[in-house]
Amino acid sequence: MSIWKRKPLGQLIEEASESEKGLKKTLTASGLTALGVGAIIGAGLFSITGLAAATNAGPAITISFVVAAIGCLFAGLCYAEFSSMIPVAGSAYTYSFATMGEFVAWIIGWDLVLEYAVGAATVSISWSRYLTKFLDGYGIHLSEQLTHSPFEGGLINIPAVLIVMVMSLVLMRGTKESALVNGIIVLLKVSVVLVFIALGWQYIRPENYTPYIPENTGTFGEFGFTGIIRAAAIVFFAYIGFDAVSTAAQEAKNPKRDMPIGILLSLIICTVLYILFAHVMTGVVNYSAFAGADGIAPVAIAIDHMGVADASGMITPAYPWLNKAIILAILAGYASVILVMLMGQSRVFFSMSKDGLMPKVFSEVHPKYRTPAKNNLLFMLIVSLFAAFVPARVVGEMTSIGTLFAFILVCLGVIVMRRTMPDAPRAFKTPLVPLVPILGVGVCLFMMVFLPLDTWIRLIVWMMIGFDLYIFYGMKHSILNGGSFDGKSYRIVSLSGLAMVVALVVVAFVHHSNPEIDDTFLYYFSLIFAAIHAVVYALSYKKNK
């Protein structure tokens, strides 16, 4: 058996028919556009944007949103072809399993687990900061020691942990969002953006845009051109949910015409709103005000500066009620976003377990609630630890690099699929293949390169842990391959692992060579981790030679 063995399309379509009873084709171009706008405008805009402006791009954060949107456009068109071929309301894990084989599916699935888990952690940290701001308005001041991570001057972020636990428990009990509830949440998110832009525009201070592109500090990624591109990679988080448009291809009345319209229109609308939002945000208050722990709640900071300054320079907010109302809406919307991210992560893990690539315990369903409760418990613990002790910058960048990596694999998948499955039925075809997928890979990889090297180290370490699980568990319990692989398959995985070892050492060395960065622990951890895995992968290769 081989790691390149694909899950039959017929089997997936049969599973979709049984589990979803055949989805009705009801969505028009306008419906797909509305779906896209609702999915794209989410937590990323209200959380990571301020930090990216403060430390990377300054007012030029607006340009960063355009760069990120271009990457989304190419990847979205590739996602659309996948989803039109495989009529399953699933994820890139399912798509790749049917088109590129088990090994690539494992890589994408493991990456998606990272994306969803750290994404939920990022949103929960931002939720904590908005909650603190909301309570401050009523004279209730939470201790900084209990609302910040140790890296931000605190001990533990308890509110972030609590919201993760509550949403995980809701998932374990079972949740089924109605169209009405979902519509209200979408309306809240879009309304917050529109109200913020409309009311904030009159309090823009032109001096806050000078300089529009702050001069580079001499450090790669801190302002200037490199800062704009690094910020684009970071705010890519704000476009998470974009692939939701492509996954609805099987419900489109005329996917060949409506899919590109839905993708392009939703992306254009959201990008324009993002640019206006960022323009107002950095106009009412200098971008430097978003530095520090409060930068994860930029809307609250900006609204506090929407007012007239007195002789001493003190600003009295013109809309004190607005801050509380908008923060309350953001808190409610965030809860839903955290729920969806935790659910997406658990469903990917559930699918991997059902395919035998993870222990069966993670695909067991609760006898009463019919949910993967043990799966939810595991990630409640993992995400809570991230939320409690890891800074928002770190988890935000990990979410972005995980998403960019997944988009690259999907773009490559379209090129591979056109060669290996040229006659498979497609309701929508990505235009100008291989140009569009290559551009998608290029733009996403370009943004990834500009992310901090410590983020790359964490991604490589995470992927190597995934390789460990696949070699020592997944390959032995694979249902598709009957737990039996030839020596060549083991050698390919082992060599891939050795390539990751080399990449980890190189990135760690380059990162450590920067005299402005103190990363002694991360550097030696990387070297020890790489050395151990070099031995493990070498022995695995030799054993199967």
Side-chain angles (χ1 to χ4, degrees), residues 260-522:
I261 293 175
I263 289 171
L264 288 169
L265 268 184
S266 61
L267 189 58
I268 291 170
I269 291 170
C270 290
T271 301
V272 170
L273 289 177
Y274 281 7
I275 290 172
L276 293 175
F277 179 94
H279 182 73
V280 171
M281 183 188 78
T282 53
V284 299
V285 58
N286 188 274
Y287 65 88
S288 60
F290 300 110
D294 282 348
I296 197 68
V299 174
I301 295 174
I303 293 177
D304 281 341
H305 287 77
M306 290 180 185
V308 180
D310 57 23
S312 65
M314 182 69 70
I315 296 176
T316 302
Y319 307 101
W321 56 270
L322 179 64
N323 203 341
K324 296 175 184 177
I326 285 185
I327 290 177
L328 195 60
I330 290 175
L331 288 172
Y334 267 16
S336 173
V337 171
I338 294 169
L339 183 74
V340 170
M341 285 188 169
L342 289 171
M343 181 168 64
Q345 166 277 312
S346 67
R347 295 312 182 258
V348 173
F349 220 59
F350 178 85
S351 297
M352 295 171 78
S353 177
K354 289 283 286 184
D355 291 326
L357 305 181
M358 281 288 181
K360 287 184 179 180
V361 66
F362 297 120
S363 56
E364 293 177 1
V365 295
H366 192 280
K368 180 178 180 181
Y369 304 123
R370 310 304 298 169
T371 60
K374 294 176 182 177
N375 189 334
N376 295 136
L377 272 176
L378 170 68
F379 278 91
M380 179 179 75
L381 175 62
I382 293 174
V383 176
S384 294
L385 289 174
F386 273 115
F389 301 113
V390 180
R393 178 194 73 84
V394 172
V395 287
E397 289 170 0
M398 288 177 69
T399 305
S400 291
I401 198 170
T403 307
L404 287 164
F405 184 48
F407 278 20
I408 285 174
L409 292 174
V410 168
C411 290
L412 290 173
V414 168
I415 298 175
V416 173
M417 189 170 59
R418 287 291 183 92
R419 289 182 174 275
T420 58
M421 306 176 69
D423 300 323
R426 294 165 168 85
F428 172 80
K429 285 189 175 183
T430 304
L432 301 176
V433 174
L435 179 61
V436 167
I438 289 173
L439 288 173
V441 171
V443 174
C444 291
L445 185 59
F446 183 63
M447 285 188 277
M448 285 179 71
V449 168
F450 280 78
L451 282 168
L453 290 177
D454 60 335
T455 305
W456 275 90
I457 290 173
R458 294 183 184 97
L459 173 66
I460 295 171
V461 168
W462 175 259
M463 297 312 297
M464 287 172 67
I465 293 172
F467 274 50
D468 296 344
L469 289 173
Y470 185 61
I471 289 177
F472 296 108
Y473 185 88
M475 294 183 75
K476 296 178 180 179
H477 296 83
S478 167
I479 292 176
L480 185 67
N481 284 284
S484 176
F485 288 87
D486 54 28
K488 182 179 178 181
S489 294
Y490 275 100
R491 291 195 297 273
I492 291 174
V493 177
S494 300
L495 286 174
S496 300
L498 287 170
M500 298 291 282
V501 168
V502 173
L504 178 59
V505 172
V506 171
V507 173
F509 179 77
V510 174
H511 183 57
H512 185 66
S513 64
N514 188 338
E516 299 179 3
I517 298 175
D518 181 16
D519 72 326
T520 304
F521 172 79
L522 186 61

Side-chain angles (χ1 to χ4, degrees), residues 46-68:
F46 305 132
S47 59
I48 211 73
T49 308
L51 290 176
T55 59
N56 303 110
I61 187 72
T62 51
I63 301 175
S64 302
F65 275 119
V66 175
V67 175

Side-chain angles (χ1 to χ4, degrees), residues 11 87 90 94 122-123 149 165 174 196-197 212 235 266 272 297 318 356 469 510:
Q11 180 182 337
T94 305
T122 305
V123 179
S149 75
M165 292 177 66
F196 179 83
I197 293 170
Y212 187 70
V235 299
S266 61
V272 170
L469 289 173
V510 174

Side-chain angles (χ1 to χ4, degrees), residues 18-354:
E18 291 177 358
S19 62
E20 300 168 20
K21 303 301 181 183
L23 296 173
K24 292 183 179 179
K25 295 184 177 294
T26 58
L27 291 176
T28 60
S30 59
L32 288 167
T33 302
L35 173 67
V37 172
I40 297 169
I41 294 182
L45 184 65
F46 305 132
S47 59
I48 211 73
T49 308
L51 290 176
T55 59
N56 303 110
I61 187 72
T62 51
I63 301 175
S64 302
F65 275 119
V66 175
V67 175
I70 292 171
C72 269
L73 168 62
F74 296 132
L77 291 171
C78 294
Y79 260 101
E81 178 165 332
F82 266 120
S83 59
S84 68
M85 280 184 65
I86 307 167
V88 180
S91 67
Y93 168 75
T94 305
Y95 304 155
S96 57
F97 212 147
T99 56
M100 293 180 285
E102 183 179 284
F103 184 42
V104 177
W106 168 270
I107 292 173
I108 292 182
W110 188 246
D111 176 63
L112 288 174
V113 170
L114 171 70
E115 174 192 329
Y116 285 124
V118 294
T122 305
V123 179
S124 66
I125 294 169
S126 184
W127 188 91
S128 173
R129 295 309 304 148
Y130 277 111
L131 177 67
T132 302
K133 290 285 185 182
F134 181 76
L135 295 178
D136 283 346
Y138 291 96
I140 303 173
H141 306 291
L142 300 180
S143 169
E144 290 194 5
Q145 295 293 307
L146 301 179
T147 56
H148 292 77
S149 75
F151 300 95
E152 297 167 321
L155 292 175
I156 182 174
N157 195 332
I158 290 181
V161 172
L162 290 178
I163 189 63
V164 170
M165 292 177 66
V166 170
M167 291 299 100
S168 296
L169 292 173
V170 169
L171 271 180
M172 290 164 63
R173 286 292 301 267
T175 178
K176 190 174 183 180
E177 286 186 352
S178 67
L180 176 62
V181 173
N182 186 61
I184 292 173
I185 291 172
V186 169
L187 184 62
L188 276 174
K189 292 188 295 184
V190 177
S191 296
V192 167
V193 175
L194 294 176
V195 170
F196 179 83
I197 293 170
L199 296 182
W201 200 270
Q202 58 188 311
Y203 296 104
I204 290 176
R205 299 172 179 83
E207 61 269 22
N208 287 329
Y209 295 130
T210 305
Y212 187 70
I213 302 178
E215 187 177 350
N216 184 264
T217 62
T219 301
F220 187 88
E222 291 185 5
F223 307 111
F225 173 76
T226 60
I228 291 174
I229 305 301
R230 175 169 289 183
I234 293 171
V235 299
F236 202 83
F237 182 21
Y239 287 98
I240 286 183
F242 176 69
D243 59 325
V245 188
S246 66
T247 59
Q250 66 271 25
E251 297 173 76
K253 286 185 176 180
N254 185 0
K256 289 184 179 180
R257 181 182 69 89
D258 295 343
M259 285 306 299
I261 293 175
I263 289 171
L264 288 169
L265 268 184
S266 61
L267 189 58
I268 291 170
I269 291 170
C270 290
T271 301
V272 170
L273 289 177
Y274 281 7
I275 290 172
L276 293 175
F277 179 94
H279 182 73
V280 171
M281 183 188 78
T282 53
V284 299
V285 58
N286 188 274
Y287 65 88
S288 60
F290 300 110
D294 282 348
I296 197 68
V299 174
I301 295 174
I303 293 177
D304 281 341
H305 287 77
M306 290 180 185
V308 180
D310 57 23
S312 65
M314 182 69 70
I315 296 176
T316 302
Y319 307 101
W321 56 270
L322 179 64
N323 203 341
K324 296 175 184 177
I326 285 185
I327 290 177
L328 195 60
I330 290 175
L331 288 172
Y334 267 16
S336 173
V337 171
I338 294 169
L339 183 74
V340 170
M341 285 188 169
L342 289 171
M343 181 168 64
Q345 166 277 312
S346 67
R347 295 312 182 258
V348 173
F349 220 59
F350 178 85
S351 297
M352 295 171 78
S353 177
K354 289 283 286 184

